[in-house]
Amino acid sequence: MLVDTHCHLSREPLLSHVDAALGRAREAGVERIVMAGYDPADWKTQFVLAMSHPGVFPVFGIHPWVAATMTTEEELMNSMMELVATMERVVPLAIGETGLDRSGRCPKETFPAQLACFRGQLAIAKQVGLPLVLHIVQAHGIALETLKEVGLSDAVGVVHGFTGSPEMAREYQKLGLYVSFSSIILRRPSEKLAEAIRAVSDDRILAETDGPDQSPGDEEFGEPAHLVAVIAELARIRGVSAEKMAATCNSNAEALFRFSELAKDEDAS
């Protein structure tokens, strides 16, 4: 039972092919899929998918790309209030994805809004005791400073789609965070990335597809079935069998997202 720990089933073009993609995932042995939040409209789509597809789990958050479009403090506060209100109706598996992005995707002047949104979601996660799903691109230094200053909930979280240095991977682990690697390791391999993969301890490594945005090659879009190839590549780089790598990633996904506890709650209700 493999776990894709980060996938945007709720976003196009994957959303239009979701039934077929989930069928291919099951055939590949991927039985659990953790979605990743983007904005309020995305949360609603996630809820529908989670209700209609067993093994699909929602994650609500305000993506840094969305935060980068906010121009007023009122807009920021309203988004935080909407996130809290949504969570009172539907409890997500985690909060995110949230974080900081200093790539060309986000103009420099948007960084203060990103940072305020990031800090707000860190505070919410601490308050409700949920793990975080972190999107950190070209901003690892200030992200680490902020995480240390604001603090994490006891449920910690994961830095998704990691492509940073081995040193940064170790710094995140010191905070108790998990580090996840996506299909990008198949498309843009590098020795630096391989070193980062080897730098993550056995009890903190995770695998994801980040579909539809990331795909392993020339495919039209990424999807959960590609997780098998990601795990195989992680195994090759770390010098272990694919079976052992899968078991390690599954164990870590359970520790972070507590699927067994969710099953108990559902049985009790």
Side-chain angles (χ1 to χ4, degrees), residues 142-240:
I142 191 167
L144 282 164
E145 290 176 9
T146 305
L147 289 165
K148 291 174 183 177
E149 178 189 348
V150 179
L152 292 161
S153 76
D154 291 340
V156 293
V158 55
V159 184
H160 106 87
F162 188 78
T163 57
S165 68
E167 292 76 20
M168 284 299 176
R170 295 187 186 99
E171 289 299 314
Y172 285 122
Q173 289 179 91
K174 288 178 183 178
L175 297 180
L177 288 162
Y178 292 78
V179 181
S180 181
F181 297 92
S182 75
S183 298
I184 201 170
I185 69 173
L186 300 166
R187 201 175 69 253
R188 297 211 313 254
S190 70
E191 183 52 35
K192 172 189 168 185
L193 186 52
E195 289 176 4
I197 290 170
R198 288 189 286 266
V200 181
S201 62
D202 283 344
D203 65 345
R204 281 295 178 270
I205 192 166
L206 289 170
E208 63 176 85
T209 63
D210 198 13
D213 299 329
Q214 305 293 343
S215 66
D218 296 330
E219 291 83 354
E220 181 184 354
F221 55 85
E223 59 179 84
H226 297 152
L227 186 70
V228 175
V230 176
I231 289 175
E233 180 65 1
L234 289 175
R236 185 192 68 79
I237 291 170
R238 291 169 72 89
V240 299

Side-chain angles (χ1 to χ4, degrees), residues 1 19 31 33-35 40 49 90 121 139 148 238:
M1 185 184 292
D19 289 331
E31 297 288 344
I33 298 165
V34 179
M35 293 183 284
L49 289 170
V90 181
Q121 290 177 89
K148 291 174 183 177
R238 291 169 72 89

Side-chain angles (χ1 to χ4, degrees), residues 18-63:
V18 71
D19 289 331
L22 288 174
R24 289 189 290 269
R26 287 190 293 271
E27 290 176 3
V30 182
E31 297 288 344
R32 287 173 174 159
I33 298 165
V34 179
M35 293 183 284
Y38 189 77
D39 62 13
D42 174 78
W43 310 338
K44 294 175 183 176
T45 304
Q46 282 197 44
F47 174 73
V48 173
L49 289 170
M51 290 299 98
S52 56
H53 297 284
V56 172
F57 300 90
V59 172
F60 300 157
I62 301 164
H63 197 288

